[in-house]
Amino acid sequence: MQLYLNATSPYARVARVCLYEKQLIERTELCWCDPWATDSELLQITPLSRIPTLVTDDGEVLTESLLIALYLDAQGEGDSLLPHKTYAETLALAGLGHGLTDAAFNVVIGRKHNGHEVDTTVLGSRRLKAIERTLATLDAHPSVLAGNAERTLGAITVAVALCYISFRLPAFDWPNRFPTLQAWHAKVVECESFAMTAFE
């Protein structure tokens, strides 16, 4: 398999964490690339030019981090990232994490291209409020309150989103503002799969 990625994409990090969790990292070639480049190898593989992109051993091209994670879960070893007994709960948590990533990523991209004044637009304000609401929701989430640090797809997606906010939007200061969430996050990321995929 080949995984096209870069070192700062939260979406690519989700896929990469899953590679480690499912013991597939040794079977996968990591292809570092710039998805913004107009002449990149990635663009020749997918018209979307998005990361992560996974090329399977059979030549299928998969995009979107959660879809890639589902594929890796079926191909790899060890415990499922989507436990049958908590399937819907895991998907719901993954949805919160993915949505939080989307909001944070779009704030970062918006500021990069239009400056901080983008935050005062209707769309910019909506994204910032979505981040705040989701952080508060996660701080009171049953899995977080219970201290359940099992690395399901839901926990992985949320943990990566929180890492990304610390990396790119530190002004949110979520670890100090949401100590319950911070304690849960610390347990989830205390493993090789997160240590080996840290943002650079």
Side-chain angles (χ1 to χ4, degrees), residues 19-48:
L19 282 174
Y20 277 97
E21 290 292 324
K22 298 302 295 184
Q23 302 172 42
L24 292 167
I25 192 69
E26 299 298 330
R27 289 176 41 193
T28 307
E29 178 187 358
L30 300 182
C31 303
W32 303 95
C33 63
D34 176 6
W36 299 95
T38 56
D39 59 348
S40 70
E41 181 182 349
L42 177 62
L43 190 56
Q44 297 173 29
I45 294 169
T46 170
L48 297 170

Side-chain angles (χ1 to χ4, degrees), residues 117-162:
E117 57 268 22
V118 73
D119 293 349
T120 63
T121 66
V122 172
L123 188 55
S125 175
R126 180 180 174 85
R127 289 169 177 158
L128 293 172
K129 290 176 181 176
I131 293 171
E132 287 288 354
R133 289 193 304 266
T134 307
L135 289 170
T137 297
L138 288 168
D139 194 53
H141 192 278
S143 291
V144 172
L145 293 176
N148 180 4
E150 181 183 1
R151 279 183 297 281
T152 64
L153 181 56
I156 290 168
T157 307
V158 169
V160 168
L162 295 172

Side-chain angles (χ1 to χ4, degrees), residues 28-182:
T28 307
E29 178 187 358
L30 300 182
C31 303
W32 303 95
C33 63
D34 176 6
W36 299 95
T38 56
D39 59 348
S40 70
E41 181 182 349
L42 177 62
L43 190 56
Q44 297 173 29
I45 294 169
T46 170
L48 297 170
S49 191
R50 294 183 65 174
I51 52 176
T53 291
L54 182 76
V55 181
T56 72
D57 291 335
D58 296 327
E60 294 291 345
V61 177
L62 307 180
T63 59
E64 306 301 331
S65 58
L66 295 184
L67 297 179
I68 291 171
L70 292 176
Y71 178 79
L72 296 177
D73 190 43
Q75 298 300 309
E77 301 177 15
D79 294 337
S80 174
L81 301 175
L82 289 151
H84 181 72
K85 63 180 180 179
T86 58
Y87 189 77
E89 297 163 45
T90 300
L91 288 177
L93 189 59
L96 281 174
H98 194 74
L100 181 59
T101 299
D102 282 347
F105 180 79
N106 284 306
V107 167
V108 171
I109 294 300
R111 289 177 178 178
K112 178 180 179 180
H113 293 285
N114 300 296
H116 280 260
E117 57 268 22
V118 73
D119 293 349
T120 63
T121 66
V122 172
L123 188 55
S125 175
R126 180 180 174 85
R127 289 169 177 158
L128 293 172
K129 290 176 181 176
I131 293 171
E132 287 288 354
R133 289 193 304 266
T134 307
L135 289 170
T137 297
L138 288 168
D139 194 53
H141 192 278
S143 291
V144 172
L145 293 176
N148 180 4
E150 181 183 1
R151 279 183 297 281
T152 64
L153 181 56
I156 290 168
T157 307
V158 169
V160 168
L162 295 172
C163 289
Y164 183 72
I165 291 173
S166 293
F167 176 57
R168 289 296 198 199
L169 301 170
F172 275 96
D173 193 27
W174 71 265
N176 289 318
R177 295 172 54 223
F178 300 100
T180 303
L181 183 59
Q182 191 280 330

